[in-house]
Structures are given as structure tokens and as C-alpha cells.
Amino acid sequence: MRRYLFPLILGVVGCAILIGLGIWQLQRMAWKEGMLAEIQAQIDAPAMPLPAQVDPSMKYMPVTVSGTTTGDEIDLLSHTKEQGGGYQVVSRFITDDGREIMVDRGFVPQEARHLERGPVRLNVRGNLHWPDEKSGSTPAPNLDENIWFARDVPAMAEALETQPVLVVASFVEGDAQGVEPIPVAIEGIPNNHLSYAVQWFMIAAVWAGMTAALIWRIRQRTY
């Protein structure tokens, strides 16, 4: 019986740890789903005029702004399932009360990038956003071609000479100039905890099978 003891303990402890990790991932999944529901509720809340003071704690707040674009913009490399590759247009925007902010007006296909988009008056409903899209592998913007690869609010604000305030449009009233809004959505926020939990449970099953096989081999040697 002693020869079975060590592999049995190893198997039970290993399975317990692996199952515990799977349960922890399920708990993380529940936490993430709650967080996503909270973010969705923030996105869907009634819009209000842009507050006088804005900071990143207001991320996802629905707001309305009225004013005029200046014709200055940043072209952000992007794509949609429907139209393929293209650009998101981030415009310099002067509000009716004189504030200089940025509005992510939405998507244009490749062939529309160089079309003239001069100053235009717009009423915009959207959400404040500070997207965390830049990583160590993100290329620096091509300033000669005005092509950016991630929305970096402070850097874009410096380039467009605005406040570091970005409103992502969900609805535009006025001449949209062919730009299709891409509203803020939770789809881009990863929630992979279920797949992680399944992986841990599968590893636990393999561990249990290997333990059983080892004990069977030890038992065979006794004959």
C-alpha cells in the first residue's frame, strides 16, 4: 500500500490545485461579466452636455457636443467587417462654447481617405473615451502621411492642439461627409476566462488520468 501513497498524494494535490485554478477562472469570468454589464450601462445611459471639467474617470460617459470641425484630422488605420480596411477619422472640433476637443467621427474606406473634409457644423452624441490601444509593439505614427496606428489621446491632442478630450461619436447630425460612426462598444474588451477555466479542468483530467495510469503500472509490478 505504501508504494501507492506518494503517487496518490501527488495526484490528489495536483488535481486539487488545477481544479482550484479552474474555479478561480470561473469566478473571474463572473467578475468580468459584471464589469462589462456595468460598462454597458454607462454607455447606454442618457447623454448629457459635455462637463466643464473632464478626466479619465468619466470614461464611457455619454455626452452631447455641438460645434464645428476645423478640417484638421488624424487618420487612424482601421477596418470593419463590412468594408474591410480603411481609417477612423479623428477631427479637431471647436464646441459652441469655444472648447477645443477631438471627435472620433468614425470610419471611411481606403478610397475616401483623401477626400476633402473641410470645416462643417455638427451635433454629436457619443461617449467620452480614453482607449488603451497603444502597446510596446505599436508603431509610431507616420506623421508625414498622417497615419496613426492607435488612439493615444494625449499624443493626438498634442498633434491637433486640443484638450486631451476625445468623444467617440455614436450619432452625428449634420453633414457627416461620408464618415460612418463606430460607437463605443464592449465587444473589444476581452473576456477569455471561460476558455481558461476549461483548459485548467482539462489539464486536471489529464493529471488524474496520468495518476491512475501510474498507480496501475505500480500495481502490475506487484504480480
Side-chain angles (χ1 to χ4, degrees):
M1 187 64 187
R2 289 181 180 177
R3 68 182 67 190
Y4 302 139
L5 190 59
F6 177 72
L8 185 60
I9 292 173
L10 189 64
V12 170
V13 171
C15 284
I17 292 172
L18 293 167
I19 291 171
L21 289 170
I23 293 172
W24 175 67
Q25 286 296 338
L26 291 177
Q27 294 169 340
R28 292 280 294 172
M29 182 182 70
W31 166 81
K32 179 61 75 67
E33 288 175 346
M35 185 191 74
L36 292 175
E38 184 178 332
I39 291 173
Q40 188 65 60
Q42 289 177 275
I43 292 172
D44 296 337
M48 63 182 64
L50 184 68
Q53 298 295 325
V54 174
D55 63 68
S57 69
M58 299 175 178
K59 188 175 182 179
Y60 305 119
M61 176 186 288
V63 296
T64 58
V65 290
S66 296
T68 307
T69 65
T70 66
D72 302 305
E73 67 182 41
I74 282 172
D75 297 330
L76 177 75
L77 194 65
S78 185
H79 74 281
T80 67
K81 292 180 181 178
E82 296 78 14
Q83 301 188 61
Y87 297 87
Q88 280 175 246
V89 176
V90 179
S91 293
R92 188 171 186 265
F93 191 86
I94 310 299
T95 67
D96 288 341
D97 59 359
R99 298 171 67 181
E100 300 172 338
I101 66 169
M102 296 176 291
V103 174
D104 183 338
R105 296 169 60 187
F107 181 83
V108 294
Q110 293 269 5
E111 60 272 15
R113 180 186 169 220
H114 293 294
L115 294 180
E116 182 67 25
R117 283 184 288 273
V120 63
R121 177 167 179 78
L122 299 172
N123 298 318
V124 177
R125 183 172 72 237
N127 298 82
L128 291 171
H129 203 22
W130 281 264
D132 186 14
E133 297 173 337
K134 187 178 178 182
S135 68
S137 61
T138 303
N142 184 338
L143 299 180
D144 292 334
E145 296 292 331
N146 191 32
I147 298 175
W148 292 55
F149 303 96
R151 289 178 294 185
D152 182 340
V153 171
M156 292 192 305
E158 183 178 351
L160 291 175
E161 298 181 346
T162 70
Q163 298 176 23
V165 175
L166 176 68
V167 176
V168 179
S170 58
F171 175 79
V172 174
E173 185 180 62
D175 182 5
Q177 299 175 313
V179 184
E180 180 183 346
I182 302 179
V184 172
I186 63 172
E187 282 74 16
I189 303 175
N191 184 12
N192 302 317
H193 296 293
L194 179 58
S195 64
Y196 296 154
V198 170
Q199 290 175 25
W200 285 121
F201 290 142
M202 289 179 65
I203 295 171
V206 171
W207 189 278
M210 292 175 62
T211 301
L214 178 59
I215 291 174
W216 180 82
R217 290 184 64 181
I218 293 173
R219 185 170 181 274
Q220 292 297 107
R221 290 175 188 166
T222 62
Y223 292 102

